[in-house]
């Protein structure tokens, strides 16, 4: 039986909002600094410094042994790319940056994908479709709806635009733990789908591929790539379920 979501009080959600403000500020700063010639280790250092200067702790560093503060995934890398001074951004790349912060015992988590220099029209469309699928998913965050309503909003839109949604990795609940129930898939599952209740906080994160939805994990044990080596994009927000609709805690 699936574990129940941990509901948050209004005070706890406000703490999470502050954690997410740090995340959002870091991502906004990184987006301005992403350009050809920058290496991904620099992005990692900038993100960590930004969080620590504001009293936050990088959530990913050391999590299950992950070596970086920032997940930096380039082109065909879907998620969990490891920062490295050897990985230098080039014009035509896309870079997905996923950042998490712990603040006063609660977590924030968000991600964006940024074009580096000039990218092709179809790649730019990939980014726009992925971002729009997240907005459509957030619109489904209403008390009484189900997780599958979120999943359907992503899958229907993405596949209607000729792209595919990753199935092996999904969104999640978030709170005093980085990953909590329920799972938030970007495709509709046929088994039970939890109903949304006020006080849930969800990390919704569409991962969208230009080709197949199949992925594989590289030998480093972390980096996920598309099976066909075509580009992938990733956008994420932490969203609270409230009686007044979705509250996007990590809005940029």
């Amino acid at each position: 039986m699936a574990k129940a979501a941990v509901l948050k009080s209004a005070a706890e959600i406000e703490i999470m909002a502050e954690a997410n403000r740090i995340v959002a500020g870091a991502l906004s700063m990184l987006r301005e600094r992403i350009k050809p010639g920058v290496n991904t280790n620099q992005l990692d250092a900038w993100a960590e410094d930004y969080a620590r200067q504001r009293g936050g702790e990088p959530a990913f560093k050391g999590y299950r042994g992950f070596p970086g503060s920032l997940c930096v995934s380039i082109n065909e890398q879907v998620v969990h790319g490891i920062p490295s001074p050897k990985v230098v951004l080039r014009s035509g790349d896309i870079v997905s940056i996923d950042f998490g912060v712990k603040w006063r015992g609660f977590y924030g988590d968000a991600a964006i994908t940024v074009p580096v220099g000039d990218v092709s029209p179809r790649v730019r469309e990939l980014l726009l479709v992925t971002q729009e699928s997240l907005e459509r998913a957030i619109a489904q965050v209403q008390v009484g709806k189900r997780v599958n309503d979120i999943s359907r909003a992503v899958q229907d839109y993405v596949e209607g635009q000729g792209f595919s949604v990753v199935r092996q990795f999904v969104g999640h609940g978030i709170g005093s733990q980085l990953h909590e129930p329920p799972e938030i898939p970007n495709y509709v599952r046929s088994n039970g789908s939890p109903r949304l209740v006020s006080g849930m906080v969800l990390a919704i994160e569409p991962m969208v591929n230009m080709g197949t939805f199949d992925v594989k994990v590289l030998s480093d044990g972390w980096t996920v790539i598309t099976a066909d080596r075509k580009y992938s994009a990733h956008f994420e927000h932490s969203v609270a379920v409230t009686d007044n609709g979705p509250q996007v805690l990590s809005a940029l």
Side-chain angles (χ1 to χ4, degrees):
M1 186 175 179
K3 293 182 179 179
V6 180
L7 303 184
K8 283 79 184 175
S9 67
E12 289 170 334
I13 289 174
E14 183 49 44
I15 293 172
M16 294 186 70
E18 181 56 36
N20 277 288
R21 279 191 280 271
I22 298 172
V23 171
L27 292 179
S28 182
M29 175 267 296
L30 292 176
R31 182 166 54 191
E32 296 303 315
R33 296 187 182 186
I34 285 173
K35 60 183 179 181
V38 172
N39 72 62
T40 60
N41 207 55
Q42 288 175 290
L43 298 178
D44 182 82
W46 287 331
E48 179 170 352
D49 288 348
Y50 186 96
R52 292 196 185 280
Q53 287 172 10
R54 288 155 181 80
E57 177 186 343
F60 302 160
K61 195 167 191 176
Y63 181 75
R64 297 180 180 173
F66 187 76
S69 296
L70 187 71
C71 292
V72 189
S73 307
I74 312 295
N75 298 339
E76 76 276 7
Q77 297 175 358
V78 181
V79 284
H80 305 159
I82 298 172
S84 169
K86 298 178 181 179
V87 179
V88 179
L89 302 181
R90 300 174 300 175
S91 184
D93 288 341
I94 59 172
V95 53
S96 298
I97 47 175
D98 186 356
F99 192 46
V101 165
K102 186 177 184 181
W103 191 78
R104 291 181 57 190
F106 285 85
Y107 287 91
D109 190 7
I112 57 175
T113 302
V114 181
V116 183
D118 294 323
V119 299
S120 73
R122 186 60 172 165
V123 170
R124 193 166 294 277
E125 186 180 2
L126 169 70
L127 271 58
L128 292 172
V129 166
T130 308
Q131 191 166 19
E132 174 64 18
S133 75
L134 175 56
E135 296 302 319
R136 291 176 180 233
I138 291 169
Q140 297 301 313
V141 178
Q142 307 286 343
V143 171
K145 289 209 169 194
R146 293 188 179 273
V147 167
N148 260 349
D149 293 312
I150 297 172
S151 306
R152 185 175 293 105
V154 174
Q155 184 176 16
D156 285 357
Y157 180 69
V158 166
E159 293 179 353
Q161 302 300 312
F163 298 104
S164 64
V165 292
V166 171
R167 286 157 167 74
Q168 193 171 333
F169 294 87
V170 299
H172 51 91
I174 187 169
S176 62
Q177 301 296 318
L178 185 57
H179 294 97
E180 296 181 354
E183 291 189 341
I184 314 294
N186 297 305
Y187 66 99
V188 177
R189 287 177 172 171
S190 57
N191 55 347
S193 177
R195 197 173 292 280
L196 302 184
V197 178
S198 183
M200 285 180 167
V201 182
L202 311 174
I204 303 172
E205 48 180 326
M207 292 159 251
V208 176
N209 297 346
M210 291 189 75
T212 179
F213 62 73
D214 289 326
V215 300
K216 61 182 181 180
V217 181
L218 295 183
S219 59
D220 63 20
W222 283 103
T223 308
V224 179
I225 66 167
T226 57
D228 58 9
R229 300 296 180 111
K230 293 183 178 180
Y231 280 17
S232 181
H234 176 211
F235 285 83
E236 176 183 19
H237 274 310
S238 293
V239 185
V241 183
T242 81
D243 291 326
N244 298 315
Q247 180 183 353
V248 182
L249 305 180
S250 52
L252 297 176

